[in-house]
Amino acid sequence: MHNISQDETPFLTALENYMNENISPFDVPGHHMGNVPNKLKDLIGELVFKADVNAPRGLDNLNHPTSVIKEAEMLLAQAYQAKDAFFLVNGTTAGIQAMLMTVCKAKDKIILPRNCHKSAINALILSGAIPIFISPTYDYDLEIANEPTIDSYIKAMDENKDAKAIFVINPTYFGACLDLKTLTEEAHKRKMLVLVDEAHGSHFAFNANGPSSAILCGADATSCSLHKTLGSLTQSSVLLINSNNISRYDIMKTLNILNTTSPSNLLIASLDAARHYIVKYGQNKLNEMINLANYAREEINKIPGFKAVGKDYFIKNGAYNYDETKLVIALDDINLTGFMLYNLLKDKYHIQMELAEQYVILGIIALGSKKEHIDNLIKALQEISKEYYKSDIKYPKYRFNIEYPKQVVRPRSAYHAPLLKVKLEDAIGKISKEAIMVYPPGIPLIIPGEVFSKELIEHIKYYLSTSATILSDYDDGYVAVIDENKWSKYEKYREVLEND
Ligand SMILES: Cc1ncc(COP(=O)(O)O)c(C=O)c1O
């Protein structure tokens, strides 16, 4: 392998060369570089198909990289100051699953915040690990969950000295960060690995003025969705390793379980291009993004009915640091819920926000953000304010469900236990076999192995009454619980359930 510089794009260049080689393809994909009459091709152009090649000779193999993918991965690792990088074509979802499956065997303990993304919950099913959940802190005004405190991590580590690792989100969907460097030191003192979900923090490594990246904080592994903030194509992410305790061999073995054998070279090329761009223009681009977000906050705060909260707000509420590229807009005396506003912005103004909660909507300011789009949002909110602002509005005090459900069974055990389908109302006291969540953000209200409570059922019913998208196994009013009569292990748990 020759010495390569960050100015190069080894994979992208090899792809370009391949496309110009006048190939006669006899391999898959069968559209053979776009040689099919196809409506998608008419819509988006032949070049996308021409670049959609498998090309085992010349374009390397994601599952056993030895040439141009390996070089591109090395450049990306170098850009993030990590020891190793693995390109992912199934998002940070695959990165989180690979980290957990590599580090935890069945019945190993891992400490996680309960407001983690569904990919971490599914990783618990895949790995068979025992989760030790800690509670996030709550913002009762915005009705959102932030990071857990460092103290709650330390307490969980001290009570579970045999835990293999801790899992940390850097940042939360809304941009809150904890003191990851201190937490990492505390975990390492206790011989625990630090695994990070950095789906929303790919840009941290390139911004000296914001929260630190997981790698710079000393974490052992992190997964970043470059597609979320750094301009690569949807699904393209990276898993970074910076640890003497996680081997490349073990990660590769796990990724070979999770990865498709036909990864999209468009996604891989987009990672190579995104890394090249951000290394070259990083700090300037990040400054531009933050300036745009600050401009948006300033203007939105002049509009009656909306409050764009930023760094000061989150720090006051306990965050250690804040990602200023997140545009969190709280509703303030406006006769709409966040869900209604989210829909109105899209349907009437063609503005697509990232997500809504009851009293808040979230926008992502990223590499592709334009001032023109922010001005469109400001104009739309001004118009909406004229129609819906009411200074004397009384918001119904929505019951924010503080208590997460009680966990009695390991997620993998519950997942494999016999199924009983019951009406949501009849699930009180039963152990869930499924995860139910609002999407986005995809943070489950209940996960396999947790018990349905009356409050939780009301909470789910509330979300069902809104226009939010609810992900669950069924959409007919039924839920999946463990069939106690058919489950041989039930006796073991009866006491815990009945004493509750
Ligand atoms: C906090 C968090 N973690 C992980 C993921 C999964 O990332 P990806 O969509 O890249 O698979 C998401 C996706 O929204 C997320 O919000």
Side-chain angles (χ1 to χ4, degrees):
M1 212 167 287
H2 69 288
N3 265 348
I4 38 175
S5 86
Q6 291 287 341
D7 265 345
E8 295 179 59
T9 47
F11 185 82
L12 187 64
T13 306
L15 177 62
E16 189 183 359
N17 292 341
Y18 191 89
M19 288 165 70
N20 292 329
E21 243 188 76
N22 199 16
I23 299 281
S24 300
F26 286 89
D27 61 346
V28 294
H31 60 67
H32 285 166
M33 302 180 86
N35 189 26
V36 282
N38 189 308
K39 278 190 158 184
L40 180 66
K41 192 173 84 177
D42 295 344
L43 179 68
I44 62 175
E46 188 160 6
L47 268 181
V48 176
F49 280 80
K50 200 164 178 200
D52 182 42
V53 290
N54 199 343
R57 266 186 77 71
L59 289 183
D60 210 354
N61 181 343
L62 183 70
N63 295 312
H64 182 63
T66 56
S67 61
V68 284
I69 291 181
K70 179 119 195 230
E71 288 177 350
E73 286 180 334
M74 277 171 48
L75 287 173
L76 199 139
Q78 200 182 69
Y80 277 88
Q81 301 185 43
K83 283 194 178 133
D84 234 325
F86 301 83
F87 286 173
L88 304 168
V89 292
N90 190 26
T92 289
T93 295
I96 290 172
Q97 289 170 353
M99 283 191 270
L100 263 78
M101 287 170 72
T102 303
V103 167
C104 296
K105 292 196 282 297
K107 299 194 183 167
D108 279 347
K109 287 183 186 166
I110 179 164
I111 296 165
L112 314 89
R114 178 54 182 77
N115 59 329
C116 60
H117 185 252
K118 66 181 273 222
S119 50
I121 303 299
N122 288 332
L124 294 170
I125 294 173
L126 291 169
S127 68
I130 299 174
I132 307 295
F133 284 121
I134 51 179
S135 277
T137 53
Y138 298 96
D139 178 330
Y140 296 96
D141 290 325
L142 300 188
E143 293 203 345
I144 61 170
N146 291 324
E147 296 278 14
T149 62
I150 299 277
D151 284 348
S152 58
Y153 268 104
I154 289 180
K155 183 167 179 285
M157 288 192 275
D158 287 342
E159 286 173 0
N160 296 276
K161 293 195 164 60
D162 54 342
K164 285 277 183 322
I166 64 168
F167 183 80
V168 188
I169 308 165
N170 190 49
T172 64
Y173 222 131
F174 293 94
C177 299
L178 48 62
D179 181 357
L180 185 53
K181 189 163 184 297
T182 300
L183 180 58
T184 299
E185 284 163 10
E186 292 293 336
H188 285 168
K189 265 190 232 163
R190 292 164 175 82
K191 306 261 177 285
M192 292 181 200
L193 297 180
V194 179
L195 313 180
V196 182
D197 170 351
E198 219 165 14
H200 294 277
S202 304
H203 51 295
F204 285 5
F206 307 98
N207 179 22
N209 310 319
S212 299
S213 72
I215 296 296
L216 281 194
C217 290
D220 295 274
T222 181
S223 188
C224 304
S225 296
L226 272 75
H227 69 92
K228 287 193 196 295
T229 53
L230 287 188
S232 66
L233 292 178
T234 296
Q235 283 187 221
S236 62
S237 285
V238 69
L239 173 57
L240 300 164
I241 305 295
N242 207 33
S243 178
N244 294 329
N245 296 308
I246 303 176
S247 77
R248 181 173 174 90
Y249 167 81
D250 283 333
I251 292 281
M252 207 65 243
K253 211 167 57 162
T254 315
L255 282 174
N256 268 307
I257 295 172
L258 297 170
N259 277 348
T260 170
T261 49
S262 310
S264 163
N265 279 335
L266 282 169
L267 301 185
I268 297 172
S270 81
L271 285 168
D272 206 16
R275 183 269 315 155
H276 174 259
Y277 183 86
I278 198 66
V279 167
K280 203 158 179 181
Y281 303 105
Q283 191 64 64
N284 286 344
K285 265 332 268 188
L286 264 295
N287 292 346
E288 272 173 35
M289 279 158 64
I290 291 165
N291 288 343
L292 275 181
N294 284 338
Y295 162 71
R297 276 187 279 271
E298 226 174 277
E299 293 302 313
I300 290 167
N301 280 334
K302 295 178 189 159
I303 307 172
F306 302 105
K307 215 162 51 184
V309 294
K311 187 169 175 176
D312 292 349
Y313 177 88
F314 277 88
I315 301 246
K316 213 166 71 206
N317 275 279
Y320 173 75
N321 208 341
Y322 185 68
D323 175 13
E324 290 180 283
T325 67
K326 306 289 183 275
L327 183 58
V328 177
I329 306 173
L331 308 193
D332 187 22
D333 293 338
I334 199 100
N335 200 12
L336 292 167
T337 64
F339 302 110
M340 289 156 84
L341 177 61
Y342 175 93
N343 290 348
L344 183 63
L345 282 168
K346 170 62 180 61
D347 297 346
K348 187 162 173 199
Y349 300 95
H350 312 292
I351 291 171
Q352 182 63 66
M353 300 304 286
E354 172 67 12
L355 65 75
E357 290 280 355
Q358 175 77 355
Y359 294 132
V360 77
I361 57 169
L362 170 72
I364 304 283
I365 307 296
L367 217 52
S369 295
K370 287 186 184 169
K371 178 162 181 299
E372 174 195 332
H373 297 154
I374 288 171
D375 286 334
N376 289 343
L377 174 64
I378 293 165
K379 246 189 273 157
L381 292 177
Q382 283 165 342
E383 243 185 82
I384 291 169
S385 168
K386 281 189 197 129
E387 197 172 339
Y388 293 95
Y389 175 69
K390 284 200 176 65
S391 61
D392 57 348
I393 204 166
K394 292 268 175 297
Y395 283 121
K397 196 58 210 159
Y398 175 57
R399 316 149 309 276
F400 189 39
N401 193 41
I402 298 159
E403 293 293 322
Y404 279 108
K406 187 182 177 74
Q407 172 88 36
V408 290
V409 183
R410 199 160 47 104
R412 175 141 85 192
S413 282
Y415 180 82
H416 287 303
L419 164 72
L420 182 67
K421 216 178 142 181
V422 294
K423 278 200 167 133
L424 177 61
E425 297 74 31
D426 298 335
I428 301 175
K430 306 246 179 279
I431 307 171
S432 181
K433 266 183 67 66
E434 64 169 312
I436 301 176
M437 73 205 76
V438 182
Y439 193 88
I443 294 163
L445 302 164
I446 188 165
I447 66 168
E450 289 180 341
V451 182
F452 281 95
S453 66
K454 188 162 172 288
E455 295 72 31
L456 175 75
I457 289 170
E458 269 180 36
H459 198 62
I460 295 171
K461 278 183 162 171
Y462 165 74
Y463 277 122
L464 287 168
S465 74
T466 69
S467 56
T469 303
I470 309 295
L471 300 185
S472 59
D473 285 4
Y474 305 109
D475 52 13
D476 56 0
Y478 282 77
V479 289
V481 299
I482 294 181
D483 187 337
E484 294 152 11
N485 296 322
K486 291 192 184 147
W487 192 38
S488 57
K489 290 185 189 156
Y490 181 64
E491 277 311 311
K492 205 169 126 191
Y493 298 103
R494 181 190 296 278
E495 208 181 319
V496 189
L497 286 166
E498 289 178 357
N499 284 343
D500 206 26

